[in-house]
């Protein structure tokens, strides 16, 4: 009887609102299958979706999705960096069999001689027997996923006409800044200035100033990239690391030339961390209910009234203390994260 009372009160305390689903979208799996689903939850390791055909819920890792589908969903949920700075290039997703196991390569097909296909990834050429080839799809991916900086620069340099205009130099420099190739970007901005035929000289000067700021702040830029990477990976240890990196940035670069970029990334990081931890607290809270209830039920001295008093009062404190230890957070933050759980899909789950 005590157990039933505790469980009933505990369940009532844990009930959350009915989920407010996101817009349905097409999700493609790594094996090529496509399903129409509602993406309920996304983090650095994967996502949870609800299928529209049968209502089933799936927890998927990113590697279980096709590269194109994974990238599209990551981009939508701000897991692939600053959308304003993200530079994408056309690549090929090559699916093949190796020892009977399905494998995927993302790169550029540079050769296709006879019975082979040669895929180049960051300067390394990988040969795939044509007999083992299953599918080849054109996708868009970040430059850094398939090119070294020099490879990308040489490819873009070859696309320039014999006598580039100032504005063509500027356009190339803008893309080089996005991939952090500051030296070559500077070279082309100086060529643009020397050409003297820019149709937008103010923009050219603005680019030169911006690049000088980035070059002077190269160490800040690298630290910012590390913070963004921690946010993108999005697990407990990553957020711990990212928080330390943010504190390091504040300490090492109080007068940073990238202050505005840092403040924006800090805001995004805080939002991502709150989202992750609120959902983690919601999951762990529900699991902790059974643990603390079972522990109290094992105490023969607990009667019905004591059970009611415990469930309505002290049980919350015991759950908070348990989660604070598990997640290495302060009790007040645990309470705050639990209180705002209904903002996120996992928190809304009953």
């Amino acid at each position: 009887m005590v157990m039933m009372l505790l469980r009933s009160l505990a369940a009532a305390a844990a009930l959350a609102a009915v989920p407010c689903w996101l817009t349905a979208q097409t999700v493609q799996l790594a094996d090529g299958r496509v399903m129409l689903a509602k993406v309920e939850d996304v983090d650095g390791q994967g996502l949870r979706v609800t299928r529209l055909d049968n209502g089933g819920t799936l927890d998927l890792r990113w590697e279980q999705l096709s590269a194109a589908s994974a990238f599209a969903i990551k981009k939508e949920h701000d897991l692939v960096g600053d959308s304003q700075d993200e530079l994408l290039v056309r690549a090929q997703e090559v699916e093949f069999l190796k020892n009977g196991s399905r494998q995927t390569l993302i790169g550029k097909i540079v050769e296709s001689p006879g019975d082979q296909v040669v895929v180049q990834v960051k300067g390394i050429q990988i040969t795939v027997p044509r007999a083992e080839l299953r599918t080849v799809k054109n996708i868009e991916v970040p430059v850094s996923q398939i090119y070294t900086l020099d490879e990308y620069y040489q490819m873009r340099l070859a696309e320039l006409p014999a006598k580039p205009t100032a504005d063509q130099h500027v356009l190339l420099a803008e893309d080089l800044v996005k991939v952090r190739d500051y030296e070559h970007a500077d070279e082309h901005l100086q060529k643009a200035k020397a050409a003297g035929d820019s149709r937008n000289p103010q923009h050219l000067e603005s680019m030169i100033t911006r690049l000088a700021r980035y070059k002077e702040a190269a160490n800040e830029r690298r630290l910012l990239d590390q913070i963004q990477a921690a946010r993108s990976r999005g697990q407990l240890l990553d957020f711990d690391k990212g928080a330390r990196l943010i504190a390091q940035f504040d300490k090492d670069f109080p007068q940073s030339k990238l202050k505005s970029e840092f403040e924006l990334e800090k805001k995004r990081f805080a939002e991502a961390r709150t989202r992750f931890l609120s959902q983690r607290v919601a999951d762990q809270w529900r699991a902790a209910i059974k643990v603390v209830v079972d522990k109290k039920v094992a105490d023969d001295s607990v009667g019905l009234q004591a059970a009611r008093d415990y469930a309505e009062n002290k049980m919350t404190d015991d759950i908070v203390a348990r989660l604070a230890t598990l997640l290495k957070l302060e009790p007040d933050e645990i309470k705050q994260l639990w209180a705002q759980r209904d903002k996120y899909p996992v928190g809304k789950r009953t």
Side-chain angles (χ1 to χ4, degrees):
M1 187 68 173
V2 174
M3 172 68 92
M4 291 177 62
L5 175 61
L6 279 170
R7 289 204 183 283
S8 297
L9 291 171
L15 287 178
V18 175
C20 177
W21 300 111
L22 299 177
T23 304
Q25 64 189 91
T26 298
V27 177
Q28 185 178 44
L29 301 178
D31 62 10
R33 289 180 294 158
V34 175
M35 60 183 170
L36 191 61
K38 293 175 180 176
V39 177
E40 181 184 346
D41 186 29
V42 176
D43 62 26
Q45 298 301 304
L47 67 163
R48 171 168 289 182
V49 300
T50 297
R51 298 177 55 160
L52 294 192
D53 56 352
N54 58 19
T57 299
L58 295 176
D59 289 310
L60 300 170
R61 301 185 308 278
W62 290 118
E63 59 266 27
Q64 292 178 289
L65 272 60
S66 71
S69 185
F71 181 78
I73 295 172
K74 284 181 179 180
K75 190 173 182 68
E76 180 183 345
H77 291 268
D78 199 23
L79 287 175
V80 287
D82 187 342
S83 60
Q84 294 180 341
D85 281 344
E86 195 71 48
L87 187 62
L88 307 180
V89 290
R90 180 64 62 89
Q92 284 78 49
E93 182 183 63
V94 179
E95 189 179 278
F96 62 99
L97 294 179
K98 184 175 181 180
N99 299 325
S101 177
R102 194 178 292 271
Q103 305 285 325
T104 301
L105 275 176
I106 297 176
K108 294 289 290 185
I109 294 179
V110 293
E111 291 183 59
S112 189
D115 59 352
Q116 295 180 338
V117 172
V118 181
V119 184
Q120 183 162 311
V121 185
K122 290 191 171 184
I124 299 173
Q125 293 192 348
I126 303 167
T127 300
V128 178
R130 192 174 293 277
E132 304 296 326
L133 195 62
R134 288 298 173 263
T135 61
V136 176
K137 289 180 279 190
N138 289 322
I139 61 174
E140 289 190 328
V141 298
V143 167
S144 60
Q145 189 167 342
I146 63 170
Y147 291 115
T148 64
L149 285 185
D150 191 58
E151 277 183 307
Y152 180 70
Y153 175 65
Q154 292 302 327
M155 179 188 74
R156 293 298 307 273
L157 191 62
E159 296 171 355
L160 286 180
K163 294 183 178 180
T165 65
D167 292 328
Q168 287 171 325
H169 281 297
V170 171
L171 287 173
L172 174 55
E174 287 178 336
D175 285 348
L176 293 174
V177 166
K178 290 179 181 179
V179 298
R180 312 288 191 258
D181 188 354
Y182 298 147
E183 295 306 319
H184 285 130
D186 189 23
E187 178 183 329
H188 284 276
L189 288 178
Q190 296 309 318
K191 287 181 178 179
K193 191 169 184 177
D197 60 353
S198 173
R199 290 178 293 180
N200 191 346
Q202 288 184 329
H203 178 61
L204 171 57
E205 291 300 326
S206 174
M207 277 294 301
I208 291 173
T209 301
R210 179 186 175 199
L211 179 57
R213 181 163 55 92
Y214 279 0
K215 289 178 71 175
E216 290 176 13
N219 290 334
E220 291 99 308
R221 183 77 258 174
R222 280 191 289 270
L223 193 52
L224 264 182
D225 288 344
Q226 291 176 46
I227 296 169
Q228 189 275 320
R231 172 171 61 86
S232 297
R233 287 191 291 266
Q235 293 300 293
L236 188 58
L237 292 178
D238 298 313
F239 285 118
D240 287 345
K241 179 181 179 181
R244 292 195 299 272
L245 292 172
I246 287 174
Q248 180 184 337
F249 194 105
D250 271 326
K251 178 184 176 183
D252 294 349
F253 309 113
Q255 305 299 324
S256 174
K257 295 180 181 298
L258 302 181
K259 190 69 173 178
S260 60
E261 288 93 334
F262 171 63
E263 292 299 330
L264 178 60
E265 178 53 40
K266 188 160 66 169
K267 180 175 180 290
R268 287 175 172 166
F269 183 90
E271 290 171 350
R273 179 181 179 274
T274 298
R275 175 188 175 89
F276 171 81
L277 288 176
S278 288
Q279 296 183 118
R280 177 62 66 88
V281 164
D283 266 346
Q284 294 289 337
W285 190 290
R286 292 164 186 136
I289 288 174
K290 183 179 186 304
V291 174
V292 299
V293 164
D294 286 349
K295 183 177 179 180
K296 184 59 66 173
V297 167
D299 185 349
D300 294 335
S301 67
V302 177
L304 288 177
Q305 186 57 47
R308 179 181 294 278
D309 291 342
Y310 175 74
E312 293 178 348
N313 299 290
K314 182 68 167 57
M315 186 174 73
T316 293
D317 293 336
D318 287 350
I319 292 173
V320 168
R322 178 178 176 81
L323 266 58
T325 300
L326 286 173
L327 300 177
K328 296 181 174 59
L329 298 174
E330 293 297 321
D332 285 346
E333 186 174 14
I334 293 290
K335 292 177 183 178
Q336 183 180 2
L337 291 166
W338 172 249
Q340 61 188 27
R341 66 193 182 281
D342 61 347
K343 295 180 181 179
Y344 309 105
V346 171
K348 292 179 180 180
R349 199 176 303 143
T350 301

